[in-house]
Amino acid sequence: MSQEETGAEDRIDEESARKALSEQQLVRREKLAKLQAEGRDPFAIVTWKQTHHSTEIKQGFEGLENKDVSIAGRLMSFRDIGKAAFIDVQDRDGRVQVYLNAEGIGEENYAHVKTWDLGDIIGVEGYVFKTKRGEISVHAKRMVLLTKAIEPLPEKYHGLKDPEQRYRRRYLDLVMNPQVMETFKKRTQIIRAVREYLDTRSYIEVETPILGTIASGAAARPFVTKSNALNLQLYLRIATELYLKRCIVGGMERVYEMGKDFRNEGIDIRHNPEFTMIELYQAYADYNDMMELCENLCSFVAQKVCGSTKVSYQGTEIEFAAPWKRITMVDSVKLYGGPDFSLIKNDEEARELAKKHGLEEELKKKLKDCSKGDILNAAFEKYAEKELIQPTFIMDYPADISPLTKQKPGDPSMTERFECFVYGRELGNAYSELNDPIVQNDRFMQQAKERELGDDEAYMFDEDFVSSLEIGMPPTGGMGIGIDRLIMFLTDSYSIRDIILFPTMKPNNQ
RNA sequence: GGGCCGUUAGCUCAGCUGGUAGAGCAGCAGACUCUUAAUCUGCGGGUCGCAGGUUCGAUCCCUGCACGGCUCACCA
């Protein structure tokens, strides 16, 4: 018995005592120890020349027949028929079958390959051919074990089903469920298409701080963290808005940032505490320009990634082609059976209306603290929101729930703001940006009051941002789009956890 | 946070009225040179999520806890 072998077996004994290894775990560890003792440690291998992927071989069969290829991937299936065997090798793109026998790879190596396990990472060199049953395959000439998997894979037919394990151990989900790999490839394509659309229209992509002493730009509770070096409490950003507008003040004219925002709120099928958002700002534009940009951007991305502007989401056809329906918030409430807010003159009348229509449940604050705007918003959520299945712009939001938005000319209680809804869910939010520093200062003051009254989601006062407006921000249109939500629609994903590789999970104390 | 449901072999799942657990895949041993959920023969594999309680006896009934799923609430 060599030194190495002693060491390896001792290690297994120790591990076994610590963790109570299953039979299968022990078998694989022993196989590894034996390989290492024989001087063929798979973990000592550093490279493999991969000339082709599985789909290239299958799609390019005519040009590749009888030609040599070198592939690599995970051993997913082993059909041993005695003096020959068929195995499936899975790479980034999918699987390709490999045929092997003793004549092809040599007697000794053939016996060695038979000791490999499902899940091992292997390299295969051979020529491309078609089996009698017509499956395009690689006839192996050389096979190398590149990495040993010392844990067994989930079941080959049913795969990994347990949602908890799929989210916690996404690597297994990716190995076992091809649809998951497709979804995440599509996620990348969507993000790339969004960038392409904006980059070709002279937008500058920037990066703004995630850590800051003020978390503003949205109504949400932030995560709190701390800088040791500065001995300072910091927040993780909840929006990029106020920094991007500073870029507009600085003269960038068109900017965007796509990245993570963090909101310290509930988790459900539509919300993950960290999520990807794009915000973009365009000088000399207003919310009407943002509507056009939004519908054109979304239909461009859908066309590019899904091959059509029409996609199926959870059994419902969604048509992303421009133009989308446009309707004011007041009109939408009326249209879907709610009261007519155009007849309401003041907060008092609005409160009466709220009582009459049973809106108290929808309101976040006590009725007596609610403005007409709060009540209109509640009525919208009750009557209209869930009806907005096809992409729809809801225009003109109450000023008191829109502290960063320009008022409507002629109606200071309303703002030039829209949100777009798809399948009853908010997808985006845009304004004609408020650029009057004095009004902005007043709006922040109002938010500060709300905060004092206990609303911990009221906007934090950002004095430096007001200072930037004092230097002068051109009239600007801005928009935010929830990238995760867009990806959900374009990949027909029910839950946001299905389009985030590693969704937030509680630790499972095992 | 509330309600409902789930947690059994590496994985996918059975397990009836309480009597210490089964199948398929995977694994191990063997047969098979065109299989593809390969097939055939044989064998091994369990802290029934955790902690209590009731009971002669608990995977099963009760309580609490943990994690997860769905849902309502919250959430721009």
Side-chain angles (χ1 to χ4, degrees), chain A residues 117-149:
Chain A
D117 291 302
L118 298 186
D120 289 352
I121 310 285
I122 67 172
V124 179
E125 288 169 8
Y127 63 88
V128 176
F129 77 113
K130 208 178 251 184
T131 64
K132 284 176 190 167
R133 294 280 182 91
E135 173 138 359
I136 294 161
S137 306
V138 175
H139 193 119
K141 292 178 175 171
R142 179 169 171 250
M143 297 179 70
V144 177
L145 180 61
L146 300 175
T147 295
K148 186 78 192 156

Side-chain angles (χ1 to χ4, degrees), chain A residues 446-464:
Chain A
Q446 182 58 38
Q447 291 291 313
K449 261 183 230 161
E450 306 255 341
R451 190 163 269 276
E452 273 171 36
L453 290 172
D455 180 359
D456 54 6
E457 293 190 353
Y459 288 50
M460 289 189 204
F461 205 131
D462 188 334
E463 289 185 34
D464 181 70

Side-chain angles (χ1 to χ4, degrees), chain A residues 71-331:
Chain A
I71 61 169
R74 197 177 290 273
L75 176 55
M76 296 302 290
S77 177
F78 204 122
R79 294 178 294 281
D80 180 357
I81 51 168
K83 296 198 169 58
F86 294 91
I87 64 172
D88 293 336
V89 177
Q90 175 171 292
D91 63 20
R92 184 182 66 192
D93 292 347
R95 296 184 185 185
V96 64
Q97 179 171 267
V98 171
Y99 174 76
L100 61 142
N101 58 20
E103 290 144 40
I105 61 172
E107 197 86 36
E108 191 204 348
N109 207 18
Y110 183 68
H112 168 59
V113 169
K114 283 198 175 193
T115 68
W116 293 357
D117 291 302
L118 298 186
D120 289 352
I121 310 285
I122 67 172
V124 179
E125 288 169 8
Y127 63 88
V128 176
F129 77 113
K130 208 178 251 184
T131 64
K132 284 176 190 167
R133 294 280 182 91
E135 173 138 359
I136 294 161
S137 306
V138 175
H139 193 119
K141 292 178 175 171
R142 179 169 171 250
M143 297 179 70
V144 177
L145 180 61
L146 300 175
T147 295
K148 186 78 192 156
I150 62 171
E151 288 284 328
L153 288 178
E155 209 247 2
K156 67 179 175 186
Y157 186 63
H158 297 95
L160 185 66
K161 285 262 175 63
D162 179 4
E164 181 169 359
Q165 293 306 315
R166 289 187 47 220
Y167 298 143
R168 283 192 199 282
R169 310 185 73 194
R170 184 71 87 183
Y171 45 93
L172 274 179
D173 196 25
L174 286 164
V175 169
M176 299 309 299
N177 299 319
Q179 184 55 52
V180 173
M181 182 70 85
E182 286 312 303
T183 295
F184 285 105
K185 283 182 180 172
K186 222 166 164 186
R187 181 183 174 107
T188 297
Q189 290 166 12
I190 290 164
I191 287 171
R192 196 182 293 151
V194 169
R195 285 209 166 93
E196 181 190 335
Y197 188 89
L198 295 172
D199 292 345
T200 56
R201 283 162 181 77
S202 307
Y203 281 80
I204 299 171
E205 182 174 9
V206 298
E207 291 176 282
T208 66
I210 290 171
L211 295 174
T213 51
I214 295 166
S216 195
R221 283 184 298 182
F223 285 93
V224 180
T225 186
K226 183 182 176 256
S227 163
N228 291 334
L230 303 176
N231 188 26
L232 188 64
Q233 175 183 284
L234 294 170
Y235 300 107
L236 301 189
R237 73 182 176 198
I238 57 174
T240 48
E241 175 148 4
L242 301 185
Y243 279 108
L244 293 179
K245 285 197 245 188
R246 286 171 170 91
C247 295
I248 297 292
V249 170
M252 286 187 170
E253 294 189 4
R254 295 181 177 201
V255 288
Y256 75 91
E257 177 164 12
M258 185 156 29
K260 291 276 182 77
D261 285 346
F262 307 84
R263 295 185 185 176
N264 207 340
E265 285 157 5
I267 301 176
D268 62 29
I269 53 164
R270 274 165 281 170
H271 298 85
N272 196 63
E274 54 177 302
F275 61 100
T276 301
M277 178 85 134
I278 186 166
E279 288 191 37
L280 58 91
Y281 293 84
Q282 180 177 335
Y284 315 115
D286 70 359
Y287 79 148
N288 291 301
D289 298 306
M290 290 299 109
M291 276 184 252
E292 277 178 41
L293 180 58
C294 183
E295 61 196 5
N296 288 331
L297 170 64
C298 290
S299 47
F300 171 82
V301 174
Q303 182 67 46
K304 184 115 188 167
V305 175
C306 304
S308 167
T309 56
K310 197 180 277 180
V311 304
S312 171
Y313 185 70
Q314 306 293 297
T316 301
E317 291 279 310
I318 307 280
E319 175 57 86
F320 279 100
W324 296 357
K325 197 171 149 192
R326 288 157 165 76
I327 184 170
T328 65
M329 188 178 232
V330 168
D331 287 347

Side-chain angles (χ1 to χ4, degrees), chain A residues 242-477:
Chain A
L242 301 185
Y243 279 108
L244 293 179
K245 285 197 245 188
R246 286 171 170 91
C247 295
I248 297 292
V249 170
M252 286 187 170
E253 294 189 4
R254 295 181 177 201
V255 288
Y256 75 91
E257 177 164 12
M258 185 156 29
K260 291 276 182 77
D261 285 346
F262 307 84
R263 295 185 185 176
N264 207 340
E265 285 157 5
I267 301 176
D268 62 29
I269 53 164
R270 274 165 281 170
H271 298 85
N272 196 63
E274 54 177 302
F275 61 100
T276 301
M277 178 85 134
I278 186 166
E279 288 191 37
L280 58 91
Y281 293 84
Q282 180 177 335
Y284 315 115
D286 70 359
Y287 79 148
N288 291 301
D289 298 306
M290 290 299 109
M291 276 184 252
E292 277 178 41
L293 180 58
C294 183
E295 61 196 5
N296 288 331
L297 170 64
C298 290
S299 47
F300 171 82
V301 174
Q303 182 67 46
K304 184 115 188 167
V305 175
C306 304
S308 167
T309 56
K310 197 180 277 180
V311 304
S312 171
Y313 185 70
Q314 306 293 297
T316 301
E317 291 279 310
I318 307 280
E319 175 57 86
F320 279 100
W324 296 357
K325 197 171 149 192
R326 288 157 165 76
I327 184 170
T328 65
M329 188 178 232
V330 168
D331 287 347
S332 74
V333 171
K334 199 169 135 192
L335 179 67
Y336 292 106
D340 185 353
F341 276 80
S342 65
L343 306 174
I344 302 301
K345 291 183 192 64
N346 52 45
D347 292 349
E348 200 50 53
E349 282 181 33
R351 288 187 204 115
E352 286 301 314
L353 198 70
K355 271 187 223 164
K356 210 168 90 190
H357 285 80
L359 290 170
E360 283 109 322
E361 286 172 28
E362 314 283 323
L363 292 165
K364 286 153 209 157
K365 295 182 278 192
K366 291 220 171 71
L367 186 59
K368 66 175 168 55
D369 297 328
C370 284
S371 64
K372 178 185 164 189
D374 292 322
I375 292 161
L376 170 59
N377 193 44
F380 169 74
E381 283 171 12
K382 178 172 176 179
Y383 292 103
E385 189 170 16
K386 62 179 181 299
E387 306 289 340
L388 306 173
I389 303 303
Q390 295 304 318
T392 304
F393 294 114
I394 298 295
M395 306 184 309
D396 301 348
Y397 276 62
D400 34 40
I401 59 168
S402 311
L404 302 171
T405 314
K406 237 181 212 181
Q407 282 144 316
K408 273 199 85 74
D411 183 1
S413 75
M414 301 300 269
T415 57
E416 288 204 342
R417 171 183 178 184
F418 73 79
E419 290 191 352
C420 58
F421 289 84
V422 176
Y423 201 74
R425 299 175 186 172
E426 183 199 339
L427 178 64
N429 181 19
Y431 330 129
S432 296
E433 303 294 338
L434 176 57
N435 61 347
D436 180 333
I438 293 164
V439 174
Q440 183 66 76
N441 196 74
D442 291 346
R443 298 277 189 89
F444 273 135
M445 298 273 273
Q446 182 58 38
Q447 291 291 313
K449 261 183 230 161
E450 306 255 341
R451 190 163 269 276
E452 273 171 36
L453 290 172
D455 180 359
D456 54 6
E457 293 190 353
Y459 288 50
M460 289 189 204
F461 205 131
D462 188 334
E463 289 185 34
D464 181 70
F465 172 65
V466 174
S467 298
S468 77
L469 295 185
E470 288 167 355
I471 298 297
M473 182 173 82
T476 296

